[in-house]
Amino acid sequence: MDHRGAPASLTFDLREIPFSTRGSWLDLSPVTALHTTTDAVHLVSHRNGMHGVLRLEPVREGAVVGAAWRAGPSVFAWSADDGDVAGTVEAVFDGLETLRLRGSGLGLRLADAAGGLTPFTGTYLYVDPVDDAVVFTSYETGRRYRVTSVRGSVDVVGGEALGVAERAVVLGADGGAWEATVEETTSGAPAYEVARSFDAAVAASASAFGAYLDAVAPWRDERTPAAALAAYVLWSSTVAPEGFTTRESVLMSKHWMDKLWSWDHCFNALALAPGLPDAALDQFLAPFDHQDATGALPDSITHSEVLYNYVKPPIHGWALRRLRATAGRDLTRDELAEVHDRLARWSRFWLDRRRRPGHALPYYQHGNDSGWDNSTTFDRDRVIESPDLAGFLALQLEVLADLSEELGRPAEEWKAARDALLGALLDELWTGSELVAVGALSGERSTATSLLNVLPLVLGDRLPADVRTALAERLVTHLTEHGPATEPLTSPHFEDDGYWRGPIWAPSTALIEDGLRVSGFTDLADTVSARFRALCERSGFAENFDARTGAGLRDRAYTWTAAVYLTLAAAHVRRG
């Protein structure tokens, strides 16, 4: 089977998936803010947050014209045909900070998207006397956007204007063919020099994505029709190390969810592990670079902030075991030692800092700590001793014990903590028919309708057979034709677009599928995998999905969704 590079037919809707390249903090998209989709493509930067810096619109004879959009992995294009004159504008990333543009029969207007300039906000425009480049400076990103003409006409509107004013650069306004670049720079970048042709830049971008696709999904075939697009979502959402992002990292999205959260990253690492093990290890370790003095991981990291107001669940032992099982190479002893030490500190945080005195079970302080922000499990109490947390931490302690023995270090402490935690999970949270959460302060049982309460299935045969069976039977009440809903459709608390109160999510699906498989419910695991893969093939890689209709919800280019699709698809092909 020939898998050399990406299929030429691969395209996507720019309203759902941004156009970008691996490593860049830039993208082209009409999405400029939370749930905000404009009618024009913008150059968006994710430095210092998400900011639509420049509005890009095709023009002809001085007027903005309607144009069709076409996006593929290496080229984005506008095209307009009024019957007499056909015109196109094309864009390609040439490196991480340079967007190359060329047009024929259409010009392109690059306009300040901020609207006004104050002493602390907005964009300023001027012509640089050194090389006649036109420069926009942005307070919001703290960067400059230098427009350099390679050939063709350039008109400047609003140069050196202050306050509220129109600021724009118009390329190819005279109707002739033109070419230019836009670079995101700091204060003293050298003048732009053309190192290769536009077409060579396109070929290089296509080659880079093709190599990535072949590494991440070499198994793809007609049974996995969304594999190439899933790989593109990961590839294009990857950023180079900069600011607080200390390693190459896959953001959740290059829409508004442009962060790395301290559990989301695990699912992306698993998708990368077989073909790009070095990138997978960086992805796994990224939040550990910001562990605090107690061993806690941050809630999230991105270019210019690290947030510690919440944490995320300790699924890292589960993820590490799966990563090592599928990684394209063995981790070195030094790498294992680093992972051990960081995982030990993270586990110690839960044991030392998140257990009420006299209590065996750790607690969440808020739904956000679990990653299931508004799950119904948190309706009665927010500070709860939750079965998923106990299950994840027990599994992590077991992985840590195994790793300690592998490295010749003491392991008994971790084994004893694991056994005590498993015992407390069953003694205190198992009612005889279901697992419940308990308020750490109130002692009151939570409601138990959320899929969150089924996640301890990941413990497999560490749970008694009757407990595993009851959890699998509970899972069936969540299963829709599209996958496992986070709240049963029959629940009075179900909401179609209720975030963790109904919609289908990739991480819960991945954990449930794995839990069913290791618990011996293989047929049910196969069903969950098949339905979720079909959902992605039909509805894309949304943040989550309507459990009734399968429609994508919220951010529509979410990397953990693409990653879970790739992980499940790869396993499906291997089994087949």
Side-chain angles (χ1 to χ4, degrees):
M1 190 175 305
D2 189 354
H3 284 152
R4 290 175 296 175
S9 60
L10 181 61
T11 60
F12 51 89
D13 185 348
L14 196 71
R15 296 167 185 83
E16 295 196 350
I17 300 175
F19 175 73
S20 189
T21 193
R22 181 182 180 180
S24 181
W25 289 87
L26 297 168
D27 68 75
L28 293 181
S29 174
V31 178
T32 57
L34 176 67
H35 301 306
T36 302
T37 302
T38 67
D39 60 357
V41 176
H42 284 65
L43 179 66
V44 179
S45 175
H46 297 271
R47 288 181 163 99
N48 297 319
M50 178 189 188
H51 304 287
V53 179
L54 299 177
R55 182 180 176 98
L56 279 57
E57 295 177 296
V59 295
R60 181 180 286 150
E61 296 179 355
V64 173
V65 298
W69 301 349
R70 180 180 173 85
S74 56
V75 178
F76 173 75
W78 294 263
S79 61
D81 186 349
D82 63 8
D84 296 322
V85 180
T88 61
V89 174
E90 294 177 301
V92 60
F93 281 96
D94 191 2
L96 307 187
E97 278 128 11
T98 301
L99 181 72
R100 295 185 65 170
L101 300 160
R102 72 178 177 186
S104 175
L106 280 178
L108 189 69
R109 185 176 186 272
L110 291 71
D112 164 25
L117 177 66
T118 77
F120 302 105
T121 62
T123 300
Y124 175 63
L125 174 64
Y126 69 95
V127 176
D128 192 328
V130 170
D131 56 6
D132 293 328
V134 187
V135 182
F136 295 89
T137 70
S138 169
Y139 269 113
E140 283 68 28
T141 67
R143 297 295 189 274
R144 297 162 183 250
Y145 300 87
R146 182 173 63 186
V147 182
T148 302
S149 174
V150 176
R151 61 189 174 101
S153 67
V154 179
D155 294 331
V156 179
V157 179
E160 302 183 39
L162 304 177
V164 177
E166 180 183 7
R167 299 176 182 85
V169 177
V170 183
L171 305 170
D174 63 359
W178 58 270
E179 185 175 336
T181 64
V182 182
E183 301 166 273
E184 187 175 50
T185 73
T186 54
S187 298
Y192 177 78
E193 294 184 6
V194 178
R196 58 184 171 186
S197 71
F198 189 98
D199 289 335
V202 171
S205 179
S207 177
F209 174 63
Y212 183 93
L213 174 59
D214 287 343
V216 170
W219 38 261
R220 65 194 186 277
D221 60 22
E222 66 280 354
R223 293 169 293 175
T224 57
L229 187 58
Y232 176 77
V233 170
L234 289 176
W235 181 77
S236 64
S237 297
T238 302
V239 293
E242 187 174 308
F244 288 116
T245 306
T246 51
R247 303 166 186 260
E248 184 186 66
S249 297
V250 183
L251 303 179
M252 279 305 98
S253 173
K254 280 184 182 170
H255 287 325
W256 59 86
M257 301 293 277
D258 55 348
K259 297 184 180 184
L260 183 151
W261 277 268
S262 292
W263 74 308
D264 310 38
H265 70 113
C266 291
F267 301 95
N268 289 337
L270 292 178
L272 297 175
L276 297 170
D278 293 347
L281 185 60
D282 273 339
Q283 184 70 12
F284 180 80
L285 287 173
F288 286 94
D289 290 345
H290 297 280
Q291 276 184 291
D292 71 10
T294 71
L297 296 182
D299 181 59
S300 65
I301 58 175
T302 189
H303 181 271
S304 300
E305 67 176 22
V306 182
L307 300 183
Y308 292 96
N309 50 333
Y310 297 105
V311 292
K312 286 293 176 277
I315 68 166
H316 302 81
W318 171 85
L320 177 64
R321 178 171 283 172
R322 295 197 65 192
L323 187 153
R324 293 188 69 187
T326 61
R329 66 168 178 84
D330 292 336
L331 301 190
T332 67
R333 186 175 180 83
D334 286 346
E335 289 168 341
L336 291 175
E338 178 183 10
V339 170
H340 171 280
D341 293 347
R342 296 185 180 211
L343 204 61
R345 293 182 60 214
W346 177 221
S347 302
R348 180 56 61 196
F349 163 78
W350 289 100
L351 296 172
D352 294 348
R353 302 287 180 155
R354 282 295 184 91
R355 293 196 291 187
R356 188 178 182 187
H359 286 223
L361 292 167
Y363 60 83
Y364 292 130
Q365 295 174 343
H366 185 279
N368 288 359
D369 283 349
S370 74
W372 292 53
D373 310 359
N374 65 336
S375 162
T376 55
T377 302
F378 294 89
D379 280 0
R380 184 165 296 165
D381 289 283
R382 253 58 72 194
V383 182
I384 60 172
E385 296 167 354
S386 183
D388 67 301
L389 173 55
F392 292 147
L393 186 56
L395 194 56
Q396 182 160 296
L397 292 168
E398 179 176 294
V399 171
L400 187 54
D402 291 345
L403 187 53
S404 296
E405 290 182 335
E406 186 177 350
L407 293 168
R409 302 186 186 186
E412 292 308 313
E413 174 191 8
W414 307 121
K415 292 180 181 180
R418 173 204 60 192
D419 293 344
L421 201 52
L422 286 172
L425 169 65
L426 295 171
D427 291 345
E428 300 180 35
L429 303 183
W430 175 247
T431 69
S433 61
E434 62 186 4
L435 284 169
V436 297
V438 173
L441 298 171
S442 71
E444 296 292 324
R445 288 180 178 177
S446 72
T447 59
T449 57
S450 175
L451 188 64
L452 183 72
N453 294 51
V454 183
L455 294 183
L457 268 174
V458 296
L459 288 166
D461 60 9
R462 299 164 194 82
L463 295 174
D466 62 322
V467 176
R468 299 198 305 271
T469 298
L471 293 178
E473 290 173 348
R474 176 60 64 86
L475 176 276
V476 172
T477 69
H478 289 262
L479 194 57
T480 75
E481 64 177 295
H482 308 295
T486 45
E487 188 75 15
L489 271 61
T490 56
S491 168
H493 308 297
F494 177 87
E495 301 174 32
D496 291 308
D497 187 9
Y499 225 50
W500 293 96
R501 302 171 76 89
I504 296 166
W505 287 77
S508 53
T509 299
L511 291 162
I512 286 293
E513 193 269 353
D514 181 64
L516 289 168
R517 206 169 289 285
V518 299
S519 296
F521 302 101
T522 305
D523 289 345
L524 193 51
D526 287 344
T527 297
V528 168
S529 173
R531 291 186 185 182
F532 185 77
R533 286 183 282 110
L535 175 64
C536 293
E537 288 159 8
R538 181 173 56 254
S539 299
F541 304 107
E543 183 179 356
N544 53 72
F545 302 89
D546 187 313
R548 295 186 200 272
T549 68
L553 301 171
R554 309 292 177 119
D555 194 314
R556 306 302 288 275
Y558 221 64
T559 54
W560 71 4
T561 310
V564 169
Y565 175 84
L566 289 168
T567 304
L568 294 178
H572 170 64
V573 172
R574 286 196 302 269
R575 287 192 299 271

